[in-house]
Amino acid sequence: MSIQKSQCTAIDKLIKGKNDLVNDAAVRKLVQEQTVQWTELMERHRKQEWEFLRNQLDDQRDILRKHMEILQVGQMKQLEAKHERELKEMNARQAKISVETSKEISNDKTLTKQEKERRLREKQQNNTQKFLDERKNATIKQGKEKEKLKLKHDKQLEMLSHDIQKKIEMYKNEELEYDMSSKKEFFA
């Protein structure tokens, strides 16, 4: 703002009492000097602004990445807690089935002791196989859920970096375009 004021004051002093300003060499020289001054100032400001914006975006990317990673770790812990809860429930359900099977066979009065033992072994083997399959399927399902969440997290981090990099490139392109353009600027 002070450059604008000083330039306007200089022009006002120079043109007092003059009629033919367009052809006056002193006015032309002063306008050219002021145009160069103003152009240099604007160029310096733009470059500082672009540098500041690029640095700010780099810093934001780092901060956002850290926050995302913290939140993602929390999501993984929630998923693991859910899986542990499901396994506890499954184990409790399987234990209840085993106890009910034993009670059912031991309360059956039509069977002899040997038949009860044989049926108990058969049911336990069947239950054991069923329980193993159920645990195996639960483990596979949980592994898929973890992998899916991990892929989602990786994609989110990649998108964050990609979007911020595009903005940084935009500022670099603006600077390149400015460097290739005409440099004459003035304040009227």
Side-chain angles (χ1 to χ4, degrees), residues 9-79:
T9 305
I11 291 288
D12 287 341
K13 286 180 184 177
L14 187 65
I15 63 171
K16 277 189 181 176
K18 293 186 180 181
N19 292 333
D20 189 20
L21 298 176
V22 176
N23 295 324
D24 190 348
V27 172
R28 281 187 175 182
K29 183 179 178 191
L30 182 61
V31 168
Q32 286 176 344
E33 289 173 2
Q34 289 180 351
T35 302
V36 168
Q37 231 181 8
W38 185 257
T39 302
E40 289 171 354
L41 174 73
M42 292 308 295
E43 181 177 358
R44 192 170 53 250
H45 282 201
R46 280 191 185 98
K47 289 190 179 210
Q48 288 173 351
E49 179 185 18
W50 290 322
E51 183 66 27
F52 171 78
L53 290 170
R54 285 193 303 264
N55 290 337
Q56 182 183 23
L57 285 172
D58 278 336
D59 294 343
Q60 279 181 339
R61 176 179 36 210
D62 296 340
I63 291 168
L64 288 172
R65 186 174 195 85
K66 286 177 188 175
H67 284 293
M68 282 181 79
E69 288 171 349
I70 290 168
L71 291 173
Q72 290 172 347
V73 166
Q75 288 177 344
M76 282 300 244
K77 286 181 181 178
Q78 287 177 340
L79 184 64

Side-chain angles (χ1 to χ4, degrees), residues 13-182:
K13 286 180 184 177
L14 187 65
I15 63 171
K16 277 189 181 176
K18 293 186 180 181
N19 292 333
D20 189 20
L21 298 176
V22 176
N23 295 324
D24 190 348
V27 172
R28 281 187 175 182
K29 183 179 178 191
L30 182 61
V31 168
Q32 286 176 344
E33 289 173 2
Q34 289 180 351
T35 302
V36 168
Q37 231 181 8
W38 185 257
T39 302
E40 289 171 354
L41 174 73
M42 292 308 295
E43 181 177 358
R44 192 170 53 250
H45 282 201
R46 280 191 185 98
K47 289 190 179 210
Q48 288 173 351
E49 179 185 18
W50 290 322
E51 183 66 27
F52 171 78
L53 290 170
R54 285 193 303 264
N55 290 337
Q56 182 183 23
L57 285 172
D58 278 336
D59 294 343
Q60 279 181 339
R61 176 179 36 210
D62 296 340
I63 291 168
L64 288 172
R65 186 174 195 85
K66 286 177 188 175
H67 284 293
M68 282 181 79
E69 288 171 349
I70 290 168
L71 291 173
Q72 290 172 347
V73 166
Q75 288 177 344
M76 282 300 244
K77 286 181 181 178
Q78 287 177 340
L79 184 64
E80 288 172 4
K82 175 187 162 213
H83 290 166
E84 287 178 22
R85 193 173 52 254
E86 288 173 351
L87 283 175
K88 279 184 180 178
E89 291 170 1
M90 182 176 55
N91 287 336
R93 193 175 57 254
Q94 290 174 351
K96 183 179 176 186
I97 290 172
S98 292
V99 169
E100 288 174 358
T101 302
S102 296
K103 281 183 181 178
E104 178 186 315
I105 292 175
S106 60
N107 289 339
D108 191 353
K109 302 297 180 193
T110 61
L111 300 175
T112 64
K113 186 177 180 181
Q114 289 177 342
E115 288 176 333
K116 285 182 182 181
E117 288 175 2
R118 182 186 56 78
R119 292 233 13 227
L120 184 61
R121 271 195 313 273
E122 286 174 1
K123 291 236 179 197
Q124 284 178 341
Q125 284 178 345
N126 289 340
N127 284 345
T128 302
Q129 186 60 42
K130 223 183 338 179
F131 297 161
L132 288 174
D133 289 343
E134 194 175 343
R135 287 181 186 145
K136 178 182 164 188
N137 290 337
T139 303
I140 291 170
K141 178 185 168 198
Q142 290 172 356
K144 286 180 181 178
E145 286 178 350
K146 280 184 181 179
E147 187 61 31
K148 185 178 178 181
L149 186 59
K150 178 77 172 121
L151 289 173
K152 182 180 177 183
H153 289 168
D154 291 344
K155 185 175 181 179
Q156 289 171 342
L157 289 171
E158 182 182 322
M159 285 178 63
L160 172 71
S161 292
H162 180 264
D163 290 346
I164 290 177
Q165 189 60 39
K166 282 178 78 172
K167 280 203 165 239
I168 290 172
E169 287 175 18
M170 180 185 75
Y171 292 129
K172 286 179 181 176
N173 288 339
E174 281 182 18
E175 190 171 359
L176 288 173
E177 286 177 21
Y178 177 77
D179 288 340
M180 290 186 284
S181 69
S182 173

